[in-house]
RNA sequence: UGGGGCGUAGCCAAGUGGUAAGGCACCGGGUUUUGAUCCCGGCAUGCGCAGGUUCGAAUCCUGCCGCCCCAGCCA
């Protein structure tokens, strides 16, 4: 039992390059120590008055072996036992013993505990344990574009930078689940990155790939427009509605068949129209023809703008011969875009996520909260095809061409809310990016 | 300048004396009513560096270099 103050203990410990020296209490007779320990347990002393230490070697090159603390006084209130217990073991003292009692064979932990293993082993050797566990250390998982330490994540929650531990932007299991990450995709990700002792940071793209791979195989396809602009078909019979039958699977003969209403006024994705389109642009532009998925070919005639210059309506004509998405003359259209009939559309809140931080390594700045990405969440007022009303909270679907979305687990009572789990791979964006870099 | 770890491609990672797996990313091409998926091809004359041992070295030896962790009565 040592009665040195915390400050003195630190002084006696030495430094990594200089040995420490023995506490003046080190040779206290056992009976006296036992008595002190009993009284400490009985609550006779205030916090820090004395402490139980292991007698090992104050000159040991490993600082953890320089007479480490084992039991200290903490007058902490416990929700079950109240104030009756006031002494607590250190992590090092408890670790090996609890492993031994639980029959643990391989006690796996992270690299920073490597220096503690000699103490872990020393305690097991010197204490009456029922079994000898072995501690094995591995590198922790780090991911680009986020932080992983519990202490940092806690700050994000406490300081309200996110909505809670299950905010879909959090790299927590509950956050990933709410984002729409399946258990299978997370497991497959873990298989892919492996386990080693190398300090490493895995690229986020690998996590995203694992999700896409799983959802590509499982998620039914529907149509939803996230950033809507109105498309009017000038030669469509007024008030006419057609219903198309389409499968939710891209694979012939698989999936469920549901009906999709089509009419003369649709919502399409704002980004699917471009005024000055390059030659390789396959979507809508003045005088260009595209296929409306499952339905008809339409040719763009004009775009109508408001006073601010924003496009409010795109006017097209359709080819009645192209019903179903093919024409008798066999002419090809390069682009196929998704749509939702305006009259039948389900309004929905669609949440699009970006990385929580604005850089690959948020730890490179002094305070990681200054590296938060202000655009990590974008809330859209979108429109969905009617069949999407049947999707249960927590279920994943693909919105054609827009990515994989998961109906939010919370907010299940009110209007439809969908979280985007991950976008689809976007080769067009890549082409545009590469071209810009060439110029 | 003490001790404990780790260095194989842009990012992960196999490999333990027989001539550098695999995945992601990236780059080409094909198929496609999702610019998705799928398919085909490319991507380390080289394993932190320098010597040495060996018929043969990422693997063994020696010496360097770089990065991470440790001076809580935190975990």
């Amino acid at each position: 039992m040592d009665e040195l103050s915390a400050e003195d203990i630190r002084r006696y410990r030495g430094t990594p390059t200089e040995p420490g020296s023995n506490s003046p209490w080190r040779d206290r007779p056992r009976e006296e120590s036992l008595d002190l320990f009993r009284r400490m347990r009985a609550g006779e002393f205030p916090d820090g008055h004395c402490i139980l230490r292991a007698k090992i070697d104050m000159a040991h090159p490993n600082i953890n072996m320089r007479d480490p603390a084992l039991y200290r006084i903490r007058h902490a209130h416990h929700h079950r036992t109240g104030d009756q217990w006031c002494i607590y073991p250190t992590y090092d003292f408890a670790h090996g013993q609890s492993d031994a009692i639980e029959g643990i064979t391989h006690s796996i932990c992270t690299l920073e505990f490597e220096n503690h293993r000699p103490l872990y082993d020393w305690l097991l050797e010197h204490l009456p344990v029922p079994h000898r566990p072995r501690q094995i250390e591995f590198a922790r998982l780090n991911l680009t574009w986020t932080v992983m330490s519990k202490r940092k994540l806690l700050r994000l929650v406490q300081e309200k930078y996110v909505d809670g531990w299950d905010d879909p932007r959090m790299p927590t299991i509950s956050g990933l689940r709410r984002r729409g990450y399946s258990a299978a995709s997370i497991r497959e990700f873990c298989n892919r990155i492996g386990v080693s002792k190398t300090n490493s940071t895995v690229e986020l793209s690998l996590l995203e790939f694992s999700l896409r791979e799983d959802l590509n195989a499982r998620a039914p396809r529907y149509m939803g427009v996230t950033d809507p602009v109105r498309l009017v078909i000038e030669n469509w019979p007024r008030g006419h509605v057609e219903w198309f039958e389409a499968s939710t699977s891209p694979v012939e003969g698989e999936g469920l068949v549901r009906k999709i209403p089509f009419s003369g006024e649709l919502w399409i994705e704002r980004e699917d129209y471009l005024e000055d389109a390059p030659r390789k642009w396959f979507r809508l532009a003045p005088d260009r023809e595209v296929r409306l998925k499952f339905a008809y070919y339409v040719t763009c005639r004009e775009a109508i703008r408001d006073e601010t210059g924003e496009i409010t309506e795109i006017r097209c004509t359709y080819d009645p011969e192209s019903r179903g998405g093919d024409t008798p003359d066999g002419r090809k259209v390069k682009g196929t875009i998704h749509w939702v009939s305006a009259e039948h559309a389900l309004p929905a809140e669609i949440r699009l996520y970006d990385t929580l931080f604005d850089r690959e390594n948020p730890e490179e700045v002094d305070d990681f909260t200054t590296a938060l990405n202000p655009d990590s969440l974008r809330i859209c007022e979108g429109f969905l095809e009617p069949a999407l009303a049947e999707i249960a909270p927590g279920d994943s679907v693909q919105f054609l061409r827009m990515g994989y979305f998961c109906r939010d687990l919370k907010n299940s009572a009110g209007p439809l809310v969908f979280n985007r789990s991950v976008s689809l791979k976007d080769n067009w964006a890549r082409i545009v990016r590469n071209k810009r870099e060439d110029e």
Side-chain angles (χ1 to χ4, degrees), chain A residues 54-67:
Chain A
K55 269 199 235 179
I56 306 180
D57 178 3
M58 287 308 290
H60 198 107
N62 181 339
I63 290 174
N64 293 308
M65 299 295 271
R66 319 243 259 233
D67 293 5

Side-chain angles (χ1 to χ4, degrees), chain A residues 16 35 45 95-96 131 173 176 200 229 246 319 335 406 430:
Chain A
D35 177 58
F45 311 122
H95 191 196
H131 159 79
I173 293 295
L176 289 173
S200 60
V229 66
D319 178 359
C406 176
R430 198 200 74 219

Side-chain angles (χ1 to χ4, degrees), chain A residues 45-212:
Chain A
F45 311 122
D47 287 6
H49 175 80
C50 56
I51 188 165
L52 177 68
R53 292 225 260 161
K55 269 199 235 179
I56 306 180
D57 178 3
M58 287 308 290
H60 198 107
N62 181 339
I63 290 174
N64 293 308
M65 299 295 271
R66 319 243 259 233
D67 293 5
L70 263 31
Y71 249 104
R72 71 285 214 214
I73 304 169
R74 276 260 202 295
H75 288 276
H77 186 81
H78 189 270
H79 68 104
R80 298 271 265 273
T81 56
D83 298 320
Q84 47 179 283
W85 199 263
C86 64
I87 61 172
Y88 294 87
T90 57
Y91 170 84
D92 283 326
F93 187 59
H95 191 196
Q97 289 181 87
S98 60
D99 284 346
I101 291 164
E102 291 174 20
I104 300 293
T105 54
H106 306 256
S107 181
I108 294 168
C109 64
T110 41
L111 255 24
E112 65 270 28
F113 292 98
E114 268 174 326
N115 294 326
H116 293 244
R117 178 152 34 91
L119 177 54
Y120 180 95
D121 289 335
W122 188 94
L123 288 165
L124 289 169
E125 237 165 73
H126 294 261
L127 260 9
V129 292
H131 159 79
R132 283 296 297 267
R134 180 142 81 105
Q135 173 180 297
I136 304 173
E137 310 82 14
F138 294 101
R140 61 184 303 138
L141 166 60
N142 294 298
L143 263 183
T144 55
W145 299 99
T146 191
V147 295
M148 293 291 258
S149 94
K150 278 178 279 185
R151 294 175 192 198
K152 290 197 174 75
L153 294 173
L154 176 63
R155 241 192 103 191
L156 292 176
V157 173
Q158 284 183 334
E159 295 175 27
K160 304 258 171 29
Y161 291 113
V162 294
D163 240 347
W165 290 98
D166 65 348
D167 186 299
R169 293 165 294 185
M170 290 284 273
T172 50
I173 293 295
S174 62
L176 289 173
R177 294 294 280 156
R178 192 161 161 218
R179 177 77 168 261
Y181 272 82
S182 60
S185 73
I186 295 170
R187 273 193 238 106
E188 187 49 34
F189 169 72
C190 292
N191 285 155
R192 284 194 157 94
I193 61 178
V195 178
S196 77
K197 298 188 69 164
T198 318
N199 249 322
S200 60
T201 304
V202 176
E203 287 179 351
L204 182 64
S205 60
L206 183 55
L207 213 215
E208 294 184 330
F209 172 83
S210 302
L211 211 220
R212 286 194 189 106

Side-chain angles (χ1 to χ4, degrees), chain A residues 27 97 127 173 181 238 295 325 370 410 423:
Chain A
D27 295 315
Q97 289 181 87
L127 260 9
I173 293 295
Y181 272 82
R238 182 181 298 275
T370 62
K410 297 184 171 176
S423 63

Side-chain angles (χ1 to χ4, degrees), chain A residues 236-244 260-264 323 341 343-344:
Chain A
W236 185 261
R238 182 181 298 275
H240 182 54
V241 174
E242 276 189 41
W243 292 80
F244 290 97
I260 315 172
F262 183 90
S263 64
R323 195 187 138 87
S341 170
E343 176 191 345
H344 308 86

Side-chain angles (χ1 to χ4, degrees), chain A residues 271-285:
Chain A
E271 66 173 23
D272 282 340
Y273 174 85
L274 201 58
E275 190 89 27
D276 298 305
R279 184 135 210 94
K280 293 282 215 30
W281 175 259
F282 300 158
R283 286 120 89 163
L284 275 177

